[in-house]
Amino acid sequence: MATFYEFKKIVGRMFGCRNIEENENDIGVSIQNRYYLGGTSDITDFTISNSELKELYDLAMSMGNENLELYSSSHYEVAIDFDYYLVSREHYPVVSDDTTNGIKYILGFPTMEYCAFLLISIADISNRQNSRRIPLPAHLMRASDSIRRFGNDEQELSLQNLLPRMIGELSLKIETTEGKSLGAFRKYKTSFIFQFMYRSALALIEFPNIEEMFHLTRTAKERIDFEQLDTPPLREYMSDVVDYYKLALSSNDAYIKYISFYHIMEYFYDEVFKKKMINDLRDKITNPGFSYKNDDKIYEMAMFVKNRLRMNDESGQGNELESLKYVLNEYIAIDELKNRISSIDSSAVLYYQSTKVAFCNAPLIPWTDMQGVYTQIARRVYFTRNSLVHSKSGKNQERYKPYKDESELQKEIPLVKAISELIIINSSKII
């Protein structure tokens, strides 16, 4: 975990102090009063004491944590992604006190120890990446913005008043009078979240990880080359599949993206399956070894059709998996697919070759196996899709769990995006 001084340096940077030494000195902060509604002079100074920071660091480190959950035997806290609170902050905190069972629920700005935990987690990312500079999102480095938005005539400038608001997100806190396990806290959390959503019709969503919470791994989009947009389209594309593509690009939700891209593949199932069936039958009936007078050959033909059309095979996948494989063979060249995937995410091709999709046990993709690569691509895509759309409790090991598995699903998007784009292009007609 990050050291105290790494934590202290992050706090210093948030308040514009960039040269924090590894000593016991306090941090002196100066804020221009044009940002502070209660200011009476040009500059307002306040101090963040080293002892205050050390106490906060020790408290956060003394508690258990798992991903974005911070907990002790009587306290649980987790960050909540809830944009609606930006409209009416005066409504928070929302407090629900179950006095009968000794459980209090608080939805509002995070506690100081949770803020410290988040900043320590950010520092840990830098340590894992062997980076000399700790990444910080832009909004965490603008203390003046938080003062301008939240300052008032009665509010004293202090770390206690500013840090939770600078973090910029809400958290759900659960406090109990008796010691509880992490599993029990999670059940209470689920109960509160459902009841809140049911009564408000607003979604309370957990961030999948610290990177997504603060957008630490997102890179700026490449500058658009507007000159290349002057080239008129030379192909005619199917409007239905373009609509699916548009829906996928317009959503930030990995689930919607994946399903929308899959719909593009699914659109061609019947057409390609029919084409494959006709070609295979034509090959059989024109084969010199076939005779309509030979009963065995006729029966062999009937069994071929029966087996090809059956809706369920022994593994229960039906002919959709075969149809997907036919579509891939019809429209996708492996080298072209790898190049397109790499242009979206340079590490994805190797990732698909070395890492299964854990939540559905979807297989690796052996790019160099020209005989088996299409089958394994189809299985990886189809198993993942099934995990998204089927939610039987009896298949818990193969079921996609929203939010918990979201970051892993996000890694599958370059694959289905590249496949969909090549299908759209290679199924089009020249104008």
Side-chain angles (χ1 to χ4, degrees):
M1 295 291 286
T3 66
F4 166 67
Y5 291 111
E6 289 170 331
F7 166 65
K8 184 177 179 179
K9 288 177 181 179
I10 283 185
V11 174
R13 285 176 59 196
M14 291 175 66
F15 287 91
C17 306
R18 300 194 174 272
N19 298 312
I20 303 296
E21 301 292 336
E22 293 189 7
N23 54 39
E24 307 308 305
N25 293 345
D26 297 336
I27 299 176
V29 180
S30 296
I31 300 293
Q32 295 185 15
N33 279 333
R34 63 191 179 92
Y35 294 121
Y36 181 44
L37 301 181
T40 56
S41 60
D42 292 336
I43 300 292
T44 296
D45 299 322
F46 71 96
T47 299
I48 302 174
S49 73
N50 186 78
S51 60
E52 176 186 13
L53 284 178
K54 187 66 168 62
E55 182 179 352
L56 188 57
Y57 174 84
D58 289 342
L59 176 58
M61 292 294 289
S62 70
M63 301 179 72
N65 66 82
E66 188 166 329
N67 198 8
L68 290 177
E69 299 169 298
L70 186 70
Y71 59 92
S72 66
S73 61
S74 59
H75 179 96
Y76 173 92
E77 189 165 2
V78 66
I80 296 294
D81 185 6
F82 184 49
D83 291 338
Y84 183 77
Y85 83 101
L86 292 172
V87 178
S88 51
R89 292 174 183 265
E90 69 274 9
H91 292 160
Y92 297 92
V94 174
V95 179
S96 179
D97 198 353
D98 179 359
T99 56
T100 301
N101 294 301
I103 308 170
K104 179 183 285 188
Y105 304 87
I106 305 169
L107 179 64
F109 288 116
T111 61
M112 291 294 287
E113 61 266 28
Y114 193 76
C115 293
F117 162 66
L118 293 176
L119 297 180
I120 292 169
S121 299
I122 292 174
D124 283 339
I125 294 174
S126 177
N127 291 338
R128 291 197 300 269
Q129 297 175 346
N130 295 319
S131 174
R132 297 181 61 185
R133 185 170 182 80
I134 297 172
L136 268 184
H139 79 270
L140 292 187
M141 301 177 67
R142 293 196 293 265
S144 55
D145 287 351
S146 296
I147 295 170
R148 183 174 66 246
R149 291 198 304 266
F150 302 108
N152 56 56
D153 292 337
E154 299 177 357
Q155 187 179 55
E156 176 187 2
L157 283 185
S158 66
L159 183 67
Q160 184 82 28
N161 287 334
L162 288 177
L163 187 57
R165 289 158 173 77
M166 293 173 72
I167 292 297
E169 302 292 347
L170 295 180
S171 74
L172 173 61
K173 295 161 281 294
I174 304 176
E175 300 171 357
T176 58
T177 55
E178 297 180 357
K180 301 292 181 181
S181 67
L182 177 58
F185 277 119
R186 287 171 173 168
K187 290 179 180 179
Y188 298 147
K189 173 190 67 178
T190 300
S191 297
F192 177 86
I193 287 177
F194 175 75
Q195 180 161 299
F196 183 96
M197 294 191 299
Y198 177 79
R199 292 183 173 180
S200 68
L202 299 170
L204 290 184
I205 301 172
E206 293 180 58
F207 293 97
N209 50 53
I210 189 74
E211 291 88 350
E212 284 298 312
M213 181 176 180
F214 291 114
H215 312 310
L216 297 177
T217 57
R218 295 187 185 178
T219 57
K221 290 185 177 180
E222 296 181 2
R223 186 183 300 275
I224 297 175
D225 182 359
F226 284 96
E227 291 184 2
Q228 71 175 354
L229 300 181
D230 292 340
T231 304
L234 303 177
R235 288 179 172 270
E236 179 183 311
Y237 305 102
M238 297 182 185
S239 61
D240 289 339
V241 294
V242 171
D243 284 344
Y244 288 131
Y245 186 74
K246 184 191 307 180
L247 178 60
L249 292 190
S250 65
S251 176
N252 292 321
D253 186 280
Y255 180 98
I256 295 176
K257 281 182 176 291
Y258 196 97
I259 293 299
S260 298
F261 285 132
Y262 182 83
H263 282 328
I264 293 172
M265 306 174 213
E266 190 177 35
Y267 183 87
F268 293 91
Y269 280 5
D270 289 346
E271 175 184 329
V272 174
F273 185 82
K274 179 180 177 181
K275 180 179 178 181
K276 174 69 172 174
M277 182 68 137
I278 291 172
N279 288 338
D280 286 351
L281 278 174
R282 183 178 288 115
D283 288 341
K284 287 183 176 296
I285 63 178
T286 58
N287 188 291
F290 175 78
S291 172
Y292 71 90
K293 295 182 179 181
N294 186 320
D295 290 348
D296 290 338
K297 292 294 183 181
I298 295 295
Y299 183 76
E300 181 184 314
M301 187 72 65
M303 293 303 296
F304 167 78
V305 174
K306 176 184 176 182
N307 290 335
R308 182 63 64 85
L309 292 177
R310 73 187 188 277
M311 293 305 298
N312 291 289
D313 61 12
E314 293 178 358
S315 59
Q317 270 103 47
N319 71 344
E320 283 195 343
L321 181 56
E322 284 299 307
S323 296
L324 175 56
K325 188 163 65 172
Y326 295 153
V327 170
L328 296 176
N329 274 280
E330 179 74 14
Y331 294 116
I332 304 298
I334 296 302
D335 286 342
E336 189 178 15
L337 176 61
K338 289 170 64 178
N339 289 337
R340 181 54 187 154
I341 291 173
S342 295
S343 70
I344 299 171
D345 182 341
S346 59
S347 64
V349 169
L350 180 59
Y351 174 81
Y352 299 141
Q353 181 177 302
S354 60
T355 310
K356 293 183 177 182
V357 186
F359 62 79
C360 61
N361 198 34
L364 306 176
I365 298 178
W367 295 110
T368 57
D369 179 6
M370 291 298 101
Q371 297 298 318
V373 64
Y374 285 102
T375 297
Q376 294 304 87
I377 293 174
R379 287 164 62 87
R380 188 178 183 106
V381 170
Y382 190 65
F383 288 3
T384 303
R385 173 263 183 190
N386 282 355
S387 183
L388 300 186
V389 301
H390 299 310
S391 57
K392 294 178 181 178
S393 61
K395 294 187 175 181
N396 203 44
Q397 298 301 319
E398 302 170 6
R399 180 171 57 85
Y400 174 74
K401 301 173 183 64
Y403 314 117
K404 178 179 182 295
D405 297 326
E406 183 178 0
S407 59
E408 187 175 9
L409 177 62
Q410 189 68 48
K411 295 177 182 179
E412 300 304 304
I413 298 301
L415 174 63
V416 290
K417 182 175 188 286
I419 291 173
S420 301
E421 289 173 338
L422 293 179
I423 289 174
I424 292 174
I425 293 170
N426 293 331
S427 65
S428 63
K429 300 177 181 178
I430 296 176
I431 297 176

